[in-house]
Amino acid sequence: MEKCRKAENKKKQMINGYIGTYFSESSKGVYRFAFYPESGELAEPELFYEAKDAKWVSCSEGRLCFPMEEEGKAGTCFLRLENGEIKDEIKILEERHTPCYILQDGGLVYTANYHDGTVMIYGRDDENMHILKRIACGEKAGCHQILLHDSLLLVPCLEQNRIRLFDTEDDYAPAGEIMFPEGSGPRHGVFDKAHKKLYVVSEWSNELFVFRADGRIFSLIQSLPLLPGNVTGAAAAAIRLSRDEHFLYISVRGLNQLITVDLTQEKAAVADSVSSAGVHPRDFIISPDGRFLLIANRQEGGIVCRETEPESGRVKEVRSRITMPEAVSVILEE
């Protein structure tokens, strides 16, 4: 019977995942876990790479990137993976604070630094990484994400209530701004697949802003309050678009909620709100087949896998969870 069980487990499709964490007595860096997409099962994580404040993880084409602090210096670590093992590592520590977001696009790596108010752009020369550009967005900019659209680099600057635009074809020269109401705090955004619409969630006002994107022109077509009335202590965090583009999912700290927004009608509308099954939900991802959400709860609850209902977008019961203190981001290998 035991041999049959082992043989069955080997047949299960498995995807490696990685978790970024804040450094603490019980969280030491980047962790790796196994995800079984057929059942939504999660396997308990193991420490993959020890690093202080490796809070955001990005994996693309066998390269794993994350922020880190070492001996009073901060920056980004680049790991080349081969058959699940580390082939080589490069550390570039030339920032005052660790970045909060990393995006990979081909041979380029972009990082956003909330505290420094900067964006770093790294390029690859053979197997080495080097800094191509440092973009300063101003003191207390609150750079929180990076989006690519057409020939533009978009940087949501939470504390400046704007998204700054930079021209990727003109050495990242400033190319305009998308302004938001005072006190809104744009944090994260996502484009639809055709790049005709941009959805942005604000941390301070807990709103969804919907823009029509026409090349470099962004026109606001709707602003949608995500919460009823004046709710104190709530802070929207991550936003994801469902695979069929019918729904948006948004995590809200403070309330420990995951909100579903229906996009199937003329106007976006809040369709549902459920518990994140933990405390202080940060980033989350949608599984490759769109059936599951993997939610990173920082303070309690760890990484939670919840099933979704494709027709309604409703977030259903918890399928599994793993213990992970100080979880901030979670990804699956491509």
Side-chain angles (χ1 to χ4, degrees):
M1 181 66 73
E2 184 64 26
K3 287 183 178 179
C4 290
R5 223 181 262 119
K6 288 182 179 178
E8 184 179 338
N9 287 336
K10 285 182 179 179
K11 289 180 182 178
K12 287 183 180 179
Q13 183 187 359
M14 185 271 284
I15 304 174
N16 279 325
Y18 298 91
I19 305 166
T21 69
Y22 278 112
F23 196 78
S24 72
E25 287 298 319
S26 52
S27 56
K28 302 297 183 182
V30 176
Y31 288 76
R32 184 163 65 183
F33 67 98
F35 172 66
Y36 297 90
E38 291 183 7
S39 64
E41 177 188 354
L42 301 169
E44 285 296 324
E46 296 179 343
L47 182 62
F48 182 72
Y49 190 95
E50 185 169 349
K52 187 176 181 181
D53 282 347
K55 53 199 172 189
W56 189 272
V57 280
S58 169
C59 189
S60 178
E61 299 179 356
R63 183 171 54 210
L64 184 68
C65 305
F66 48 87
M68 68 177 297
E69 182 183 327
E70 186 175 80
E71 298 179 351
K73 297 181 179 180
T76 302
C77 183
F78 309 85
L79 301 182
R80 174 64 62 182
L81 306 181
E82 191 173 273
N83 298 322
E85 301 300 326
I86 298 172
K87 182 180 178 182
D88 58 60
E89 63 178 296
I90 299 171
K91 303 173 186 177
I92 302 181
L93 308 177
E94 297 193 15
E95 300 181 73
R96 291 177 298 167
H97 303 89
T98 52
C100 65
Y101 185 89
I102 299 177
L103 172 69
Q104 297 190 61
D105 181 58
L108 299 178
V109 179
Y110 304 85
T111 71
N113 196 309
Y114 182 88
H115 295 289
D116 289 2
T118 56
V119 169
M120 302 287 280
I121 305 170
Y122 300 91
R124 185 174 64 215
D125 181 10
D126 293 326
E127 292 303 317
N128 293 318
M129 301 297 299
H130 58 278
I131 299 172
L132 291 177
K133 188 77 175 181
R134 185 195 304 260
I135 301 173
C137 293
E139 290 294 320
K140 296 183 178 180
C143 303
H144 222 296
Q145 192 197 22
I146 292 156
L147 294 163
L148 298 175
H149 165 74
D150 209 15
S151 59
L152 291 177
L153 173 75
L154 286 73
V155 184
C157 294
L158 191 151
E159 297 201 20
Q160 294 179 344
N161 297 298
R162 70 192 67 191
I163 294 179
R164 292 184 175 272
L165 312 179
F166 299 91
D167 191 335
T168 63
E169 296 180 344
D170 187 19
D171 195 30
Y172 300 97
E177 300 173 332
I178 305 173
M179 299 302 297
F180 289 76
E182 191 69 24
S184 55
R187 180 183 172 99
H188 277 200
V190 62
F191 281 95
D192 65 354
K193 293 175 185 176
H195 276 238
K196 297 298 183 183
K197 284 187 177 180
L198 169 63
Y199 303 96
V200 180
V201 65
S202 61
E203 176 177 324
W204 294 338
S205 63
N206 294 291
E207 293 176 88
L208 172 68
F209 294 85
V210 184
F211 295 89
R212 181 180 295 108
D214 183 10
R216 297 188 172 200
I217 306 300
F218 296 89
S219 306
L220 180 65
I221 56 178
Q222 185 183 1
S223 57
L224 173 69
L226 298 172
L227 305 173
N230 295 319
V231 180
T232 59
I239 179 171
R240 300 286 182 179
L241 181 62
S242 66
R243 305 295 182 192
D244 59 11
E245 302 190 273
H246 291 171
F247 304 99
L248 285 169
Y249 297 104
I250 298 168
S251 58
V252 181
R253 297 160 295 167
L255 295 184
N256 305 321
Q257 295 286 306
L258 204 66
I259 293 174
T260 302
V261 176
D262 187 349
L263 303 177
T264 61
Q265 306 302 315
E266 184 178 352
K267 291 287 188 179
V270 174
D272 196 15
S273 179
V274 300
S275 168
S276 68
V279 177
H280 203 81
R282 294 290 294 258
D283 193 35
F284 63 94
I285 57 171
I286 302 173
S287 66
D289 61 5
R291 293 174 54 214
F292 300 104
L293 300 181
L294 276 63
I295 309 160
N297 290 290
R298 180 184 171 189
Q299 294 177 358
E300 290 180 24
I303 306 297
V304 176
C305 177
R306 300 194 67 156
E307 191 173 2
T308 64
E309 188 175 80
E311 294 77 17
S312 66
R314 188 169 63 89
V315 180
K316 301 169 67 177
E317 68 275 3
V318 174
R319 295 298 296 267
S320 60
R321 78 165 68 233
I322 51 179
T323 304
M324 191 66 258
E326 297 289 347
V328 176
S329 65
V330 57
I331 59 171
L332 295 173
E333 283 187 348
E334 295 175 346

